[in-house]
Structures are given as structure tokens and as C-alpha cells.
Amino acid sequence: MVNIGPISLPGFPLLLAPMEDVSDPPFRAVCKDNGADLMYTEFISSEGLIRDAIKSRQKLDIFDYERPIGIQIFGGDEEAMGISAQIVDTINPDLLDINFGCPVKKVVTKGAGAAVLKDIDLMVRLTAACVRSTKLPVTVKTRLGWDNDSINIGEVAERLQDTGIKALSVHGRTRAQLYKGQADWSHIARVKDNPRIRIPIFGNGDIDSPEKALEYKNRFGVDGIMIGRAAIGYPWIFNEIKHFMATGEHLPPPGIEQRVEVIRKHLHKSVEWKGLVPGINEMRRHYNNYLKGLPNIKEFRLQLVTVKTVEEIDYILDTIRKTYAGYAFEPRKVEMEKMACNCD
């Protein structure tokens, strides 16, 4: 087992990364169904929580079937982070996670996310403020450093552990890299190998297949793996990795029945949580990823993103299911650089 404070996870847990505009409750529901061991909300602005901003408050929604579930916050002000931690406490998730890794400009220019990598003392103060302000186990997600000349994850890990955090997730890129190039897990391995480090270390970045998950587990010795972009439109990756690690064999790619079933659940959860119009509209970004690989699917995709009722979408999904009944999908090939998203 891997323990994060009082939370016990399977021996080598697979975590769903928090991704802005992706890791909402509908998406988390289908990932949970397909093997995600620990999930996080989209990241939430500490300032937004304090202002009682509607979007920030909505992101606090969690459900019992998701547990264990963490709420992730970000910000650059100690007082705001401490107050936000207290607000999160009232929601009663299983843990509180702090985002020190998001590389996008709108976050970094506010002195939050990956910007904090330039000031480790500030990072320590922000983290300590959260640890003091909540009874929840606190974890952190971050990157290797600001750029290749300032990779400081070794010092960061030790100092954050000293504040009382219970686990650390590390994306194997610098902020300067954004999502380009290859994630360098050798720095993550050095953190894990540090005899001073006692907390679980989770690796993140470029895990897109069962083979790579097993290779990185063995090669870098991390306590678990966090998966982000590779789960978009493909929540089956969690169970595929688990099956491969246990048996050395691949599960067959999900067939059209499985894909339509997951799309339908994702859609209905989206409408239930967001409301009819936003639920349908925001679901449109997912169809292409779910249906990738099907020949001559363009016309069906066009229909899915233009109709305006759940009944019409359900009818189109039934038509797709019948049209492609028995279709043999090829094993998935992921083009990670084309799937960049905020805060994976």
C-alpha cells in the first residue's frame, strides 16, 4: 500500500492529473469507472474562492463515488492560500493539493503556479500556510524548476516535506518547456532516491501506454504514476496499465460498444452537473478524442457538435454504434504534443 496520511492507496497507484477545463466531475466519473485510484479537481484560484466566484465555487463539487478525491488550489499570497485551505476543509475532500506546476501565462503572470518555482522560500511559506490551516493531508504538484538552468526539485522536495506535506507529484519538465520535448524523469528518480525523503513521490509526464508505465515504474522507482493528457478521450488507460503490470499482456482496445457507453455516461453526467446547454456545449470537445481511429467518422462528429438536445445525441450515438458494430480498433497511438492542456 501507498499511504498519503490516512489515505491508503493500492501498491502502485495510478493518479488522474488535475487538468483545467478537463478534470471536472463528469470526466472524473468515467476515469474512476476505468481504474483511476486517486483523482483531483481542476485547479481552483485561492483569490476566486475568497471572492466567492461562481466558477471557483463550482469546482469544489465532489461526490462520494469519487473518493479518494483531492481538491487542488493555487495562488501566490500566503493569507489567501491559508483562508482557501480553510474553505476547502469545510467541503471534506480526502486531501488538499497545491499547484506549483501550471505553466500557462495567465497563471504565471499572477505569481502563481510554476511562477513560484523561482522563489523556493515563497513556495515553502505558501505550503506551510496551507498545512497550518487545514486538518486534511496536504500534497503538492510541481515541475522540475523554472528552466534548465534552475532545476531545483531536489531542494524543493526536502523543504516541502519539512513543512508537513504528505506526498509530492512531479511533472518531469521545466516551466520553460511547457509541454514540449521529452519529460526527464531522472530528476524525479533522484528525489525518490534521496534518503531524506520519506513521503510518496509520484511521477508525471509522457505516460501514454502500459509499456511506458511499467518501464518508468521499474526504471525510476516512483511510488505511483500520474496520468493527464493520455486519459483525455481514453479513460481506459488506467485499467490497461493495471492489467499489463499484473499479467504482461494487453487488454484489447475498447470496442465501439464500450466507447459509446462511456461517451453517453460522460454526456449525461455533464448535463446533470452543468445544465443542459453548457453540458452539451462543453461535451463537444471530447467527441473527437473518443472516436479517434474510426474511418469516415467526420460526418458523425459534425452532427454531434451541432445538435442541441440529449435525445438527438443519443440517437447519433446509437447510429454510430450500429454503423461500426464489430469494428476492430488498432492499439492506440498518442501524439502527446498535440494534446497540450493546462496544468497536466
Side-chain angles (χ1 to χ4, degrees):
M1 304 294 287
V2 173
N3 296 317
I4 303 176
I7 304 168
S8 291
L9 300 174
F12 190 78
L14 303 179
L15 288 59
L16 173 65
M19 295 176 283
E20 175 71 351
D21 293 329
V22 176
S23 301
D24 58 14
F27 179 71
R28 298 197 305 262
V30 296
C31 288
K32 184 70 174 182
D33 285 347
N34 287 280
D37 295 308
L38 173 63
M39 306 187 296
Y40 302 84
T41 63
E42 301 170 80
F43 75 158
I44 305 171
S45 164
S46 57
E47 302 286 351
L49 276 184
I50 293 170
R51 291 197 312 271
D52 206 27
I54 293 174
K55 185 175 182 181
S56 295
R57 285 284 178 167
Q58 187 182 35
K59 289 179 181 179
L60 290 172
D61 288 352
I62 58 173
F63 301 90
D64 282 342
Y65 63 78
E66 299 182 282
R67 295 188 185 276
I69 179 80
I71 290 177
Q72 188 187 75
I73 62 174
F74 74 97
D77 179 82
E78 291 174 60
E79 182 179 9
M81 290 290 279
I83 295 172
S84 294
Q86 293 172 356
I87 295 171
V88 169
D89 222 31
T90 67
I91 306 301
N92 195 33
D94 297 284
L95 61 85
L96 168 68
D97 190 67
I98 306 171
N99 184 305
F100 290 139
C102 183
V104 299
K105 186 176 180 180
K106 69 177 182 179
V107 173
V108 169
T109 54
K110 295 178 181 178
V116 185
L117 286 163
K118 294 188 287 186
D119 188 343
I120 300 180
D121 289 341
L122 174 60
M123 184 187 290
V124 169
R125 294 197 303 272
L126 294 170
T127 305
C130 291
V131 171
R132 288 194 304 268
S133 301
T134 179
K135 66 179 185 299
L136 298 166
V138 175
T139 62
V140 167
K141 183 171 190 290
T142 189
R143 288 189 169 222
L144 301 179
W146 179 256
D147 57 27
N148 284 335
D149 295 324
S150 57
I151 292 176
N152 52 17
I153 190 61
E155 179 184 355
V156 164
E158 288 191 7
R159 294 186 64 183
L160 293 187
Q161 178 180 258
D162 290 344
T163 70
I165 69 167
K166 302 303 182 184
L168 177 66
S169 299
V170 184
H171 184 114
R173 289 183 174 87
T174 64
R175 188 273 169 178
Q177 284 182 270
L178 299 177
Y179 300 98
K180 298 176 182 177
Q182 187 173 6
D184 184 351
W185 283 52
S186 64
H187 298 286
I188 306 175
R190 280 192 282 275
V191 171
K192 178 59 188 172
D193 289 341
N194 182 346
R196 274 210 63 208
I197 296 298
R198 302 176 303 278
I199 59 175
I201 302 297
F202 302 117
N204 175 226
D206 294 351
I207 298 298
D208 57 9
S209 69
E211 293 95 336
K212 187 175 284 187
L214 181 59
E215 176 195 352
Y216 280 32
K217 171 182 183 288
N218 294 334
R219 184 175 167 192
F220 300 110
V222 292
D223 295 292
I225 287 174
M226 179 178 280
I227 298 169
R229 289 171 290 164
I232 298 175
Y234 204 84
W236 303 277
I237 191 169
F238 298 99
N239 276 336
E240 288 185 357
I241 289 172
K242 289 180 177 181
H243 183 81
F244 186 75
M245 286 185 173
T247 68
E249 299 177 353
H250 287 280
L251 286 172
I256 194 62
E257 293 277 352
Q258 291 170 280
R259 292 171 193 252
V260 167
E261 178 184 353
V262 167
I263 293 172
R264 203 186 303 275
K265 178 167 183 173
H266 195 163
L267 167 68
H268 284 248
K269 287 281 187 183
S270 182
V271 169
E272 178 184 317
W273 183 62
K274 298 175 182 176
L276 181 62
V277 174
I280 287 176
N281 289 346
E282 293 184 31
M283 186 65 193
R284 290 171 177 169
R285 74 184 72 170
H286 294 284
Y287 296 126
N288 183 55
N289 288 312
Y290 277 125
L291 299 172
K292 189 172 294 184
L294 287 171
N296 306 312
I297 193 64
K298 183 176 180 180
E299 182 58 36
F300 285 120
R301 283 205 317 265
L302 181 62
Q303 293 174 31
L304 286 169
V305 301
T306 53
V307 297
K308 298 181 179 179
T309 69
V310 173
E311 291 76 18
E312 288 174 296
I313 297 171
D314 278 333
Y315 177 79
I316 295 166
L317 291 174
D318 283 335
T319 304
I320 291 172
R321 179 175 52 80
K322 293 172 184 176
T323 301
Y324 294 96
Y327 179 80
F329 284 85
E330 294 292 326
R332 188 187 188 216
K333 295 180 180 178
V334 182
E335 297 178 89
M336 296 292 280
E337 287 201 13
K338 295 183 179 180
M339 297 181 68
C341 60
N342 294 350
C343 306
D344 165 16

